[in-house]
Amino acid sequence: QVHLVESGGGLVQAGGSLRLSCAASGLFFSLDAMGWYRQAPGKQREVVATIGSLGAPHYSDSVKGRFTISRDNAKNTVYLEMNSLKPEDTAVYYCYADGRAAAGWYNNWGQGTQVTVSS
């Protein structure tokens, strides 16, 4: 079983910054793609940024240039540095990870962390 635990959400004014962290724990052979998704009230969950095991990042157009995703493979942790936050960034942010475990392929989600940007 692979567990993902997010931290770092909160309330910030527009233009401010937040850093999210997500640590993976449990028994697994590999931690491949990791990423961040978000879901605003009344909207579908959308991808924010993803990063492969070798570190290649991908961003949604809405956050490109403002957010930076990174990972520390030694700590099984993925980060999301969010700068120049806008009210439209307000959402619950979910961590995602996939890879291989004893039971086969897994793709898991964290419990979510709230990010609120005030105008």
Side-chain angles (χ1 to χ4, degrees):
Q1 189 77 357
V2 180
H3 298 281
L4 302 175
V5 178
E6 301 111 331
S7 61
L11 173 64
V12 64
Q13 288 188 330
S17 299
L18 281 175
R19 188 190 195 211
L20 305 183
S21 300
C22 172
S25 63
L27 297 176
F28 48 88
F29 297 142
S30 69
L31 195 59
D32 296 341
M34 301 187 79
W36 293 94
Y37 290 68
R38 66 187 181 187
Q39 187 166 17
K43 294 187 177 182
Q44 289 188 330
R45 189 173 298 189
E46 63 175 3
V47 62
V48 175
T50 61
I51 186 167
S53 57
L54 299 180
H58 297 276
Y59 300 95
S60 71
D61 288 342
S62 62
V63 306
K64 204 171 292 183
R66 299 188 298 121
F67 291 10
T68 301
I69 188 170
S70 61
R71 63 190 287 172
D72 184 334
N73 290 332
K75 296 182 179 179
N76 294 328
T77 299
V78 63
Y79 306 96
L80 186 68
E81 186 75 35
M82 304 184 292
N83 298 315
S84 302
L85 282 161
K86 304 175 181 179
E88 51 264 44
D89 294 318
T90 295
V92 178
Y93 283 69
Y94 295 92
C95 176
Y96 167 88
D98 65 35
R100 293 192 180 280
W105 185 260
Y106 69 87
N107 54 356
N108 286 22
W109 297 89
Q111 80 285 355
T113 185
Q114 178 69 47
V115 171
T116 303
V117 184
S118 63
S119 56

